[in-house]
Amino acid sequence: MPPRTRGGYTSSAPRRRPTGSERRRRVQLREVEPAADPDSVEHPQHDRDEHEEVFEGAPGGPIDRCILRSFDKHIAAKIWLGEDRAPLKLVNHGAKLQLWELDMERSRIYETVHRSGLASLTSCSHRVASRPMLSAFCERWQPETTTFHMPFGEMTITLDDVASILHIPVTGSMISFSQPLHVDDANALLVELLGTTDVEASRETEQCRSPSVRLLWLRDHFSTITDASSDDDVVFATRAFLLHLVGCTLFADKSATSVAVVYLELFRDLSMVGSYAWGAACLAYMYRQLTTATRFEVRQLGGYVTLLQAWIYEHFPEMFSSPDMSYTESRPRALRWRPHVIADSLQSVRERLDRLQILEVCWEPYEDHRAEHPFPDIAWYSGCIKCGQVVEPYHLERVLRQFGYIQTIPPRPFTPPRPDRSSLLVQYWERWTDHLLTDQSRGRRCLYSGSGETVPEYMAWYDRISHRIVQPPQLRLGSTTDARSSLPSHAATTSDTRIARALTSLRHVISGGRDQSADYFWGALNEAHDILSGSDETSASHSTPSPAPACHSTPSPATRPFFSPPTFVYPPPASVDPPPASDDPPPLIVPPPPASVAPPAPTADPSAPAPDSTASITVYVRSKRKKKT
């Protein structure tokens, strides 16, 4: 028999097994099916495989597999079939960062770290992470869409979230490596950039059994270098500190003890460290770790868990968070919260998310943070993000509500290109201004801030292509109800909208801390009272409605309806309509009852003049009680 090769047998063999690259080329040569209209609710049937299993009518899984094609391997599918797993182990190095601090004796190292744009990572990492909470959100992550599939729609971590939570740059050069690093190349890199010997480098990589170095090894060899050391030693220590920093935060892997040497190449020229898009690389790496954690056999979650945990605190403040009242907006938003381990079990948190209502979500949590940290335009980028060999799609059009826009039915998710086509990805990223989501794709802005509005057909489409609940109804704690009937209704009623606006008003003033004056709290309470009682809509009913704003522009004070909510910054800015001069709501004029129906006789008052039968009755609405005058 002729010798065996990677692609099959040698040329003298009668048959040859195709290689992986040949199979990929065959797939690329197939006829590409036309994309469906994103505004259409019904998807064509030919997008399904003939032999693909479909969970017809199963509320725990998608009815239509046109989007979530790999749902059979998802942890949510296993949970629905009665198989469960323990909470994920978390890779959190928040305590290790305190073992290597930059004091006054290491000011030269700190200056370089500060110029790199990564200085905020030294202080914003959470030392405690909640395993049940993070595990429950991992169960809702879908790799095809790179979003969390919540009961009311999709949400995800955006570039705006990364910039606000961590205060690291999200624009700049893409972090890209041509190929994985070999162990011999890693040893040479350690000798060149860290000044170690060949023996030390080989011993360390052999102990890690990979082209990596231990975090402890970096601290033991370079944490004692101060400003009094030689210039070369300070440069070596600065590179080692930056490698230790990104290994504990942005690119924490599941080894929990080491960091890949390949990132050391990014610190070759210390003057160029600040030119990289660290936030985009961190987000791509976090997406990949969440995707890996959706497989049933995985028991650990890598990546920067502080980013994920702070994102949950920001968007679900009433469920999981504990705010730090001493926080100021000049600091990263990760420091706004006091991390804690919730006492609930994983199943309990899972069921809480199944019952989650749209009113419990804070869609735009960074409005008070814009003065110190403006909105980055690159957050509207639509394409792929990259970190070394990791390439992930960035589907912004699926989470428009997180930017204050009405959510429409998004287009089909696209498959990212191969990592070896890095040159094309880099060119695409460098021209990110040409790949922003267009005004037409953004659609119309929500009428009320934080309302989370959708088009009418969105929930019917979403209920068919996704799973709204994860925990099976027969396995819930003390419940045996039908799954479909137990799903919460997410239709936005008038009462829901009023409650959402009132909660937004109160949430913004409470998050401002105790330094605000009593007038701010009094104004917020009055505003919440008027919203809940419908006084603002009553005022609007007596005024001429303003024309609707353009679908792609922010409503100005001249075009915004009178009953639209203000920005909730007290005192209100000049661009916000001033409140009515009177504290009482405007009267609602009710016509007199028909002549055939006799109104109830009021209590006679001898000192009062006789009532006029033709006069109108003025009704004041306050706290759900009617006061007649």
Side-chain angles (χ1 to χ4, degrees):
M1 179 178 293
R4 183 72 177 270
T5 63
R6 181 180 177 182
Y9 295 101
T10 58
S11 58
S12 60
R15 298 184 63 182
R16 179 178 176 273
R17 181 180 302 173
T19 63
S21 60
E22 291 176 341
R23 288 193 294 268
R24 286 193 295 268
R25 282 194 294 268
R26 292 179 183 177
V27 173
Q28 293 175 1
L29 292 176
R30 294 177 183 174
E31 182 180 358
V32 180
E33 308 241 349
D37 186 4
D39 298 329
S40 176
V41 180
E42 297 293 334
H43 294 286
Q45 296 295 327
H46 63 260
D47 285 336
R48 296 180 183 173
D49 189 354
E50 295 180 357
H51 305 286
E52 186 178 26
E53 182 185 2
V54 178
F55 292 160
E56 294 292 345
I63 300 175
D64 191 341
R65 294 282 187 85
C66 64
I67 304 296
L68 307 182
R69 296 181 178 272
S70 62
F71 187 74
D72 285 340
K73 302 178 182 179
H74 200 277
I75 176 62
K78 301 296 183 181
I79 294 174
W80 193 258
L81 297 178
E83 304 179 34
D84 206 342
R85 70 178 180 186
L88 295 170
K89 297 180 181 179
L90 304 177
V91 179
N92 187 21
H93 300 293
K96 294 181 181 178
L97 289 173
Q98 310 300 324
L99 302 177
W100 192 353
E101 295 182 346
L102 299 179
D103 50 17
M104 296 299 297
E105 296 181 355
R106 298 167 179 81
S107 59
R108 297 169 61 185
I109 301 177
Y110 177 79
E111 291 175 0
T112 305
V113 175
H114 181 72
R115 290 194 301 268
S116 69
L118 301 177
S120 60
L121 299 178
T122 60
S123 59
C124 67
S125 297
H126 294 171
R127 301 188 64 177
V128 178
S130 178
R131 293 176 59 191
M133 180 182 68
L134 300 183
S135 300
F137 274 87
C138 287
E139 295 170 355
R140 293 187 169 273
W141 180 264
Q142 293 297 336
E144 289 85 355
T145 61
T146 59
T147 57
F148 297 101
H149 283 223
M150 309 303 293
F152 41 78
E154 299 178 51
M155 299 182 68
T156 195
I157 309 174
T158 65
L159 291 173
D160 181 33
D161 292 313
V162 178
S164 301
I165 293 175
L166 302 180
H167 279 196
I168 59 177
V170 293
T171 58
S173 302
M174 178 177 287
I175 295 179
S176 178
F177 308 119
S178 57
Q179 57 185 359
L181 196 65
H182 192 267
V183 175
D184 295 338
D185 298 330
N187 295 336
L189 206 59
L190 292 174
V191 173
E192 179 185 1
L193 300 182
L194 294 186
T196 62
T197 63
D198 293 334
V199 176
E200 290 177 340
S202 300
R203 185 186 303 116
E204 182 61 25
T205 53
E206 288 177 2
Q207 184 168 352
C208 294
R209 299 180 181 178
S210 64
S212 305
V213 293
R214 291 172 297 153
L215 300 172
L216 177 62
W217 181 83
L218 292 173
R219 292 195 300 267
D220 291 343
H221 283 72
F222 300 97
S223 63
T224 57
I225 296 178
T226 62
D227 294 343
S229 304
S230 63
D231 294 342
D232 291 340
D233 290 341
V234 172
V235 172
F236 294 152
T238 303
R239 291 170 178 158
F241 181 85
L242 290 172
L243 182 62
H244 181 273
L245 181 62
V246 299
C248 290
T249 55
L250 305 182
F251 311 129
D253 56 27
K254 291 191 288 187
S255 67
T257 57
S258 61
V259 57
V261 181
V262 68
Y263 300 113
L264 189 59
E265 184 67 36
L266 303 174
F267 310 126
R268 177 183 294 274
D269 187 356
L270 293 177
S271 62
M272 298 297 294
V273 177
S275 64
Y276 292 107
W278 294 103
C282 172
L283 188 59
Y285 190 84
M286 190 77 246
Y287 280 2
R288 180 58 57 89
Q289 296 299 319
L290 288 170
T291 297
T292 305
T294 60
R295 296 301 177 245
F296 178 75
E297 63 276 4
V298 176
R299 297 293 183 266
Q300 195 173 12
L301 174 65
Y304 197 17
V305 296
T306 295
L307 172 62
L308 177 58
Q309 184 165 255
W311 180 85
I312 296 174
Y313 288 161
E314 290 287 350
H315 290 277
F316 307 94
E318 300 177 8
M319 292 187 62
F320 305 105
S321 63
S322 177
D324 185 357
M325 303 305 294
S326 62
Y327 169 78
T328 57
E329 294 295 343
S330 60
R331 304 157 67 192
R333 289 295 284 247
L335 300 175
R336 184 189 179 194
W337 311 101
R338 295 178 178 176
H340 61 284
V341 179
I342 60 176
D344 297 342
S345 63
L346 173 57
Q347 181 175 348
S348 178
V349 178
R350 186 186 299 152
E351 294 182 11
R352 289 177 62 185
L353 293 181
D354 288 340
R355 298 188 300 267
L356 188 66
Q357 296 286 336
I358 195 173
L359 301 180
E360 301 178 75
V361 182
C362 182
W363 294 100
E364 302 173 74
Y366 311 117
E367 294 301 318
D368 297 337
H369 199 58
R370 298 306 185 194
E372 297 289 342
H373 202 81
F375 176 82
D377 293 336
I378 200 173
W380 287 114
Y381 167 78
S382 178
C384 291
I385 50 180
K386 191 174 188 292
C387 176
Q389 297 293 308
V390 175
V391 180
E392 292 291 338
Y394 183 65
H395 293 129
L396 190 68
E397 61 277 1
R398 310 187 74 88
V399 292
L400 294 175
R401 287 180 288 184
Q402 294 182 222
F403 297 89
Y405 285 79
I406 299 176
Q407 182 62 57
T408 58
I409 297 179
R412 301 279 179 87
F414 57 88
T415 302
R418 301 191 306 271
D420 54 3
R421 304 180 64 183
S422 58
S423 59
L424 298 178
L425 292 173
V426 171
Q427 294 176 8
Y428 192 91
W429 173 262
E430 290 176 351
R431 297 193 301 267
W432 63 266
T433 54
D434 300 333
H435 305 289
L436 300 180
L437 206 63
T438 62
D439 294 340
Q440 183 179 2
S441 300
R442 300 178 194 180
R444 296 180 292 111
R445 293 190 64 90
C446 295
L447 182 60
Y448 300 125
S449 176
S451 59
E453 299 177 51
T454 65
V455 293
E457 64 272 13
Y458 175 81
M459 284 309 303
W461 167 84
Y462 179 73
D463 190 41
R464 190 178 65 254
I465 62 96
S466 178
H467 64 284
R468 293 174 59 183
I469 60 174
V470 178
Q471 185 67 23
Q474 66 274 13
L475 300 179
R476 292 180 185 174
L477 299 174
S479 176
T480 57
T481 57
D482 178 69
R484 184 67 64 174
S485 61
S486 63
L487 289 176
S489 175
H490 297 282
T493 62
T494 304
S495 301
D496 293 340
T497 305
R498 291 180 182 177
I499 294 174
R501 295 171 55 201
L503 290 177
T504 304
S505 175
L506 296 176
R507 184 185 298 115
H508 277 266
V509 74
I510 292 175
S511 62
R514 301 180 180 179
D515 297 336
Q516 302 178 95
S517 63
D519 295 337
Y520 294 170
F521 292 95
W522 180 252
L525 290 176
N526 280 336
E527 186 172 24
H529 170 269
D530 293 338
I531 293 173
L532 293 175
S533 61
S535 301
D536 54 349
E537 298 182 8
T538 303
S539 303
S541 63
H542 292 280
S543 60
T544 303
S546 303
C551 63
H552 55 80
S553 61
T554 303
S556 61
T559 60
R560 183 174 56 243
F562 179 77
F563 53 86
S564 62
T567 318
F568 302 117
V569 178
Y570 300 92
S575 61
V576 179
D577 299 332
S582 176
D583 292 336
D584 294 333
L588 175 63
I589 306 300
V590 180
S596 59
V597 179
T603 305
D605 187 358
S607 61
D612 187 1
S613 60
T614 61
S616 300
I617 302 175
T618 304
V619 179
Y620 290 92
V621 181
R622 182 176 294 275
S623 302
K624 300 181 180 180
R625 294 183 299 176
K626 295 184 179 180
K627 180 180 178 182
K628 298 181 180 180
T629 59

